[in-house]
Structure formats: C-alpha cells, structure tokens
Amino acid sequence: MKIVHRVIKGAMLSTISIAALGVGSVAYAQNNAPADENAEDQADDNNGFDDNEIVVTATKREQTLQEIPVAVTVTSAESIEKAQVRDLNDLQTIAPTLRVGQLQSSANTNFIIRGFGNGANNAGIEPSVGVFIDGVYRSRSAAQIGDLPNLQRVEVLRGPQSTLFGKNASAGVISIVTREPQYVFGGSVEASYGNFNAIIGKADITGPIADNIAFSLAANYNKRDGYANDLNLGTKVNERNRYGFRGQLLVEPSDVFKIRIIGDYDKIDEDCCVAGNLFNGPTGAIVNALAGGIGLDAENPFSYDVYTNLPSENLIDNFGGSIQMDYDLGTIGLTSITAYRGVDSFSNQDSDFTAADLLQRNINDTKIRTFTQEFRVSSDFDGPFNFLLGGYYFKENIDIANDIEYGADFRAYGNALLGAATGGALNFSILEGAFGASDAAAGIITDPTAYAGRFFAQGTGYPNEIYTLDNDALSLFGTVDFDVTDKLTLTGGFNYTKDNKDFSSNVTATDAFAAIDFNAPQYAAFRQQLLIGGGAPAQLAAYLAANPTTTTVPAPFVGGPAGATVPLSALGIADANPLAGLRAFQFQPRLVNFPNSVEDGKTNDDKFTYSLRLAYEATDSLNVYASYATGFKASSVNLSRDSRPFASDAAALGSAGLLQPNQNFGTRFAGPENAEVFEIGIKGAWDVAAFNLTLFKQSIKGFQTNIFTGTGFALANAGEQSTDGIEFDGSVSPTDNLKFSAALVYLDPKYDSYPNSTTGDLTGTRPSGIPAISTTLGVDYDLPLGADNVLNLHADYHYESKVFLFDDNVSNPAADAFAKANFSRTVNALSASASVILDNGLQVSVWGRNLTGAEYITTAFPSVGQAGSFSGYPSQPRTYGVTAKYKF
C-alpha cells in the first residue's frame, strides 16, 4: 500500500509503497520540520488536496482516499468555499449521503447518514452520528452547528464506526479537520454581502513565533436579517447573528515531539425558527377568533409569514479547548488528546406558533460540560503486521431548567373546544363547580369554590422543571493490519465500551385540571347526571357511574338474560365514564420524580463491538474491499416532562404510594442501539478520473425514536430498522481546466420490526423522510485570464426524490391516506458561483444558493395542542451575494 509524504519543492502529494495497510497515526509525520525546512511546502499546501490524492484520517491513520478501505465522503475547503457552505446544515447539499434537519431552534439539529440518525429535542438523547472537530467529540448539536472553522476538509464516514469512535457512532461520523498553524506568515481576510442584508466576515492569520513554535488566530462574524416575517410582532424571523474566535498554538520541542493547543469560543443569538401551517384543522377558526382575526397564515408555509406572541429566542455559548500531543518513536507513535468543552443553550419559544396566547413561554436552559481523554499508540513497522491500540474516557454533566406555562387565551381556547365537543353542555366553570362541590362533600377540600378560575389559568403548567444527567464512559479500542500478500491486507478491529448514566428530575406541576381523577368515587353523582342527560336509562347510568372503568354491563340492564354480561361496544358506548373524553385536555399531569424508592435513575451499559475488513490492491489505480462491522449506542435518557415510568414498575410504584392521579406509563429511557453493516467497495483513481462505489446492507436493532405526538415526545426503541443501499461518487477532468463530479445515493430502508409505534405496527413499512434517490451533480471550470489569473465557474445541483413526511398510520387508514396526499417532500436545488482569482491573492466571487427557489418542508409535525392541524419547517429561500477574499 502507500504512505503519504510531501515533495518539498511543490504542492503535490506523492506516494511511496510500503507493505502496510496504513501509516502511522502521528499526523505530523508529514510536517514536523522546523520553519526553514518546510516553509515553502507549508505555504503552498494549505488545504491538503491535490487532484485525486486526498489525504484523510478517517481511521485515525493518515491515508489517501484511494487507499482507505472505508465508505467515506471527503469535502475539501475549496469545495466548501465555492458552494458557499456556512455550517454543517449547508453541507448536505454537496454530500448527498448526509441529511441535516433543522428543527425548532438553533440548538436542535439532527444529523442523519444512510437514513439513520437522531439526538435532537432532548439533551438526554445522544446522537447516532458522532461529530468530531480536530479529533474532539462534540456531544450535542448545540456544540456542532456554528459556522465552520478554518477548514482543511470534512470527512463523512458512513455506517457504524464504533470500533474507533466509540458509543455514539452507530450510524456514522462527521470528522472536521482544521488547518494547523504554519511556519510561514500568512492569512486571509474575507467579506461577503448578500440578500436579506447578509454580512459575513472572516479573518485568519498564522505564522512563526520561534523556530519551533507557530500560531494561528481566526475570527468569524455572520449576521443576516430574517427571511420570515412575524406579522403579529412586526419582527423578522430566521435571522443569523453569530460570531466566533479560534486560536491555535503549535509547539515542536523536537523533531519527534509535537504539541497542538486549540481554544475556541462562539456565540449564537438568533430569532429562529419559524414553523408554517401546513393544514388548518378544526382548531384554526378558534385560534383566529382568539387572536382578533388572524392567528396564523393558514396552509401557506412558503409565504414565510407567521404570527406569534413572543420572539423565538436562541442563545448559545459554545467554548472549549484541547491539547493534542504526538510523540514519534520511529516505528511507534504515541498520541494523546485532552479536551474540555462547555455549551450553554437558552431558548424561549411561542411553541403553539400562533398569535393566540395559548402558551406564554416554553423555556429551556441547558448547560453541558464535557471532558474527554484519548490515548493511542500505533505502529509503523516495515513488516506485514501493524497495529493501533487506544483508550478513551468520556465524562459529561448536563443540567436543565425548563418552564412551560399556559397563556392568557388557553382557557378560552379549551372552553371553545369543550363546548364544541359537548354541544355547549360543559365548560370549565361548570366543571370547576362540580368537581369542587364533590371534593368538598368528600372532605378532600374545605372550600367548594377552591377550583374556581384555576383550570388552565394563565401561568400554570410546569413552571419549574429540573433535570440532571451525569455520564461516565470508558472505551478500549484497537485495530490490527496484516498483509497476507503485498496486495492483500486483512484488518480486524475491536471496541469495548462501558457507559454509566445517573439521572434525576424535580418537576413541579400546577395544572389543576390535569390533577383531577375522573374515575374517583366522589364524582359518581356527577357522572350519573351526565349519563342520564345523555339519554342513558337510570339503572344503566347508576351502574356505569359507580363502575367507571368497566367494559361490560349486566345483560338484564339492556333486556338480556340474568347472569350474562354485554360489552359496552355492543351498545355503542365507547367508555363507561362520560368524563373520559376530557382526558385529552389533561396536558400537564403531575409526574413521578426520579430517582425514587422504586426507580434508581441509572443505566449501565457495556458492549463489545468489532470489525473485519479485507482490502485488495488490484492495481496501482484500483482497490477493492469487503467489510463487516458492528456498532453501539448507549441508552438515551428522557430528560423532559414526557418521561414516564415503565409499565413494569406500576405495581411497585403503587405499593410505594408514588403513583399520581391519572398516572400513565411510557419510558424513562430507550435502551441501547446495536448496529451492523456489510459493505463491498471499489475505489479507482487515475490521472483524469476517480470514483468510489459502495454496496451495503446496514441495520440497527433497538433504534431509538423520539416522535412528537402533538402534545409531547414519545421516546422508545424500534425493534429493528435496516437499509440496503448503493453509494457512488466520482469525478472526471476531460481537460486541466474542466472537472465534472457526481454523487449518487440509493437507499431502500424499512422497519424490520416496529410493533409498538404510536401509529400501530409498522413492521415491514418504509420509514418516513428517507429519499430513495439523492444526488449531487457538479461542474467546475477554470478560464485563464492572462498568465496567472483565473475565472472559476462552479455549479452544483442537488436532488432528493419524493418522500412522505410521516410514518405510516396503520391504526388509522384514513389519516394515513390524508398524510400521504398532503405531506411529502422533493428537493431540486441549484447553486452556482463565479470567481475571479488573481495571482496577487485577491479573489472576488458572485454566488447563489438554491437558485431554483426550491420550496420543501424539512420536517412536519402535528401542531402543538391543536388536534387535526399540522405544522412544518419550510426550507430556506434563494440566497445570493458577492464575496471578496484576500490571501497573504
């Protein structure tokens, strides 16, 4: 195989054959000379790319893309610059295997590879796609979505990567590699202006401090007016307002020892993200009436006009530092990466997304502190055997404070719904009087008017929610490469991970209506009154009122024989309790806090995962490989008001006196995910063309799902989800100035087993939101302007085939047909740029993203607290602008 080295007098990457699969993991083997020895090389080779010789570190060893027997997509800094990619959310348009879902706030983003991925909306749910920046794990999306730093490349590793990356890479890895400080003074200054008054500034500088010390400093600023309008508040929404700083120090005490120190800080302060109305259900008229005329822009999400009561506030402070030390002992390399990171994320939203004041606040204040330590030892022997062995320690503490409260209009909203459901027979004042009188007569309260005005009173709900999670994890990992022949290499890898989580909740509920137990015996007289008013015979009404949970009645009550019973369903009665329909209004019930005498608030997982790979160098230009790998993701914890005890704990909780009125059950956590993948790949690289082709079958057992139901999230394990797929990417350069590129992904996913979904047994159905075909086509042309100046023309087209936005609704075929007819997505987006690049370092570009004006819904969901209505997040509109950059 090949080891990469630099030719000192030029920017080309060259190769030398050796009899080992990979090279040493010490990244500085290419670049460890003092300033004078490699100054020209560093100045010329800033991005690590030269035609087909793309250097990657996806296996924690530095190899060329051609050599590495792993399914990986590599995007260079140059490609990212031409496509005007600002953050990981934009990256999906040029890497079709990756999908990024922006949800209700800047801190909630889902990364999906091959149709697998989760982790947003709840800090207790770790992502299935791991994001690493310079080898340091970013554990939550709030720490991942800032503007991309001073890049060298982005590597997207597809499929389970747990062997080398541990517990949170069951679906894949995004590895971002930034440039090291250089020993030659240089840098760049960049400014952009675009529509929506977008102003972007970037600057970086690097150079030597001493013969063996170099530094770099970088800063970025990104501000843009919102492209959506809140017509109720008179403000712009979906703005950009973020900035960041990054500093590095490279110290090389000797030719064999290198220290890289990185510190960074970035801040986001934005009003984001709008949700448009996709379908205006029966609640829409009530919302409009409460809002004084217009409460929402019905079924017109791409007007980008919304109506809310308060700005959607997003404040994120992301900071941290790392120290990487590499020591080269010749045939052995040692690497240590120590990192500490912090994320403070605050959001406050009008989560009903209407001008009616249904929810007056929904605050989430999350603080995450993460410490990681990785140590690796790797070999670079001349013989047929090489190895990499390492250990990884992860410690994280999460503290969450939430506050969700009813607004001034919610009581009137609920009364309107209640009146419509009962023909005007009931309202909350009537219910407050009836329940108050019954509880007073039973001696539960002393004042029969105690409930007056309390049902859905403004400011009640969950005003105080506190959650904590402490996570400790330890991994041991390694790989062994054995050259069976000079062209055939067998690789085996392993990872053992032990993961322990301790979690707690302290939630105060003040929703008085949700605390009412409609089955309580003191309400029997009221139930009987309602049954008689509904036309039930007196004897039957008395029996049902006294037995509100029964599903049968004595047959003589309905003219049947003595000793027999008749099912209620045969009588057209849905529930013995005439108050049962009111349970749909009990949105915020009292919760069982944890840990408690029954639930210990702990998860303890451990798993051994492994990989096997056979790689064959058919020719100098063609490599093939076959591999099998397993993956693991530890348990995810429901740190939210939707956390419920497991049904299996019901008896013990009842014995301990911990059950609450109207207690329901669900999950405290979702168990581990276990992944596996079979892959066959072929990679070719020639002077004018290169391609990568991968065929795979991937599955995850216990896939962790977190589905929004309209009033909360249901966290659970799907039985098994699998995907068969084909991935292709390639490029061809007919001339030195012209390059065509194409990337194509075909996915055929299904739920192999999912019997307990919120919409019925989904076994055998296709998961929503995963396109069968995703493709990106690109063209790049350099037109010489004189001797050393160039006009670069670039375009890329991104396509995703039609997908449905909701899983099948097996339990309600009519609702399923409605969803399929109304909620789908197809993507057709064209981006382009034209850049004049002068030999004096000046570059001026005009660019546009989504020039086709593609409109699609990224994510759809049932509207919050508005049964029958649906909302969704609309795609970003066309953007364009001009950029000037000067390199020195």
Side-chain angles (χ1 to χ4, degrees), residues 414-748:
N415 265 329
L417 294 177
L418 184 58
T422 63
L426 291 177
N427 59 46
F428 290 123
S429 294
I430 293 174
L431 293 175
E432 287 165 345
F435 293 136
S438 299
D439 285 350
I444 297 172
I445 59 176
T446 58
D447 182 3
T449 65
Y451 296 142
R454 289 183 56 197
F455 289 175
F456 300 105
Q458 183 178 7
T460 62
Y462 290 126
N464 185 38
E465 299 178 61
I466 304 297
Y467 306 95
T468 68
L469 186 147
D470 297 327
N471 185 190
D472 288 272
L474 181 65
S475 295
L476 299 175
F477 60 89
T479 61
V480 174
D481 303 327
F482 179 73
D483 293 332
V484 181
T485 70
D486 60 348
K487 292 182 176 294
L488 183 65
T489 301
L490 176 65
T491 300
F494 78 94
N495 183 295
Y496 174 76
T497 294
K498 185 172 181 59
D499 181 87
N500 299 318
K501 293 184 173 75
D502 296 313
F503 47 94
S504 69
S505 74
N506 185 7
V507 179
T508 301
T510 60
D511 183 342
F513 188 72
I516 300 295
D517 182 359
F518 300 136
N519 293 328
Q522 66 267 26
Y523 304 138
F526 183 45
R527 292 194 294 266
Q528 185 172 354
Q529 175 188 338
L530 293 174
L531 288 164
I532 292 174
Q539 185 181 30
L540 177 61
Y543 181 84
L544 294 177
N547 300 276
T549 61
T550 187
T551 58
T552 63
V553 297
F557 290 0
V558 292
T565 60
V566 177
L568 292 180
S569 58
L571 304 176
I573 300 175
D575 197 294
N577 191 340
L579 298 171
L582 299 180
R583 294 191 182 107
F585 293 88
Q586 294 185 307
F587 297 113
Q588 303 186 79
R590 296 176 185 174
L591 303 181
V592 179
N593 286 315
F594 53 87
N596 51 58
S597 60
V598 176
E599 302 170 293
D600 62 6
K602 298 179 184 291
T603 63
N604 298 284
D605 304 318
D606 66 289
K607 185 69 174 181
F608 179 86
T609 57
Y610 62 94
S611 61
L612 297 171
R613 184 169 58 240
L614 196 62
Y616 181 66
E617 186 181 14
T619 70
D620 289 343
S621 301
L622 195 65
N623 291 11
V624 296
Y625 72 92
S627 66
Y628 171 79
T630 62
F632 167 70
K633 177 185 172 185
S635 296
S636 286
V637 179
N638 198 342
L639 296 181
S640 79
R641 64 188 70 96
D642 301 312
S643 177
R644 297 291 186 273
F646 290 102
S648 57
D649 289 328
L653 289 167
S655 299
L658 294 173
L659 294 180
Q660 300 296 313
N662 304 308
Q663 182 69 59
N664 55 11
F665 299 91
T667 63
R668 295 296 195 195
F669 56 87
E673 293 181 353
N674 294 288
E676 69 173 6
V677 63
F678 297 88
E679 286 183 358
I680 298 175
I682 181 170
K683 302 189 175 199
W686 296 269
D687 290 340
V688 298
F691 79 94
N692 302 288
L693 176 66
T694 306
L695 287 74
F696 68 90
K697 181 178 182 61
Q698 183 173 330
S699 64
I700 294 184
K701 293 182 179 179
F703 183 69
Q704 297 169 0
T705 63
N706 193 41
I707 305 299
F708 186 66
T709 61
T711 57
F713 288 88
L715 175 64
N717 292 100
E720 182 175 0
Q721 180 180 334
S722 66
T723 299
D724 297 337
I726 302 171
E727 298 163 328
F728 171 85
D729 62 83
S731 63
V732 60
S733 300
T735 70
D736 291 341
N737 298 336
L738 179 63
K739 181 178 180 179
F740 296 100
S741 60
L744 173 69
V745 178
Y746 168 76
L747 300 177
D748 182 18

Side-chain angles (χ1 to χ4, degrees), residues 360-426:
Q360 69 178 18
R361 65 170 54 97
N362 184 9
I363 290 174
N364 176 278
D365 189 356
T366 299
K367 299 183 186 303
I368 303 175
R369 300 294 182 266
T370 309
F371 172 81
T372 58
Q373 173 63 57
E374 180 175 2
F375 181 77
R376 301 194 302 265
V377 55
S378 61
S379 70
D380 188 10
F381 301 142
D382 290 334
F385 169 84
N386 273 282
F387 72 89
L388 181 149
L389 184 65
Y392 184 80
Y393 175 68
F394 173 89
K395 182 174 181 61
E396 185 166 77
N397 303 107
I398 300 176
D399 295 289
I400 302 173
N402 290 345
D403 177 2
I404 186 170
E405 299 173 10
Y406 295 122
D409 292 335
F410 199 95
R411 182 178 172 94
Y413 174 72
N415 265 329
L417 294 177
L418 184 58
T422 63
L426 291 177

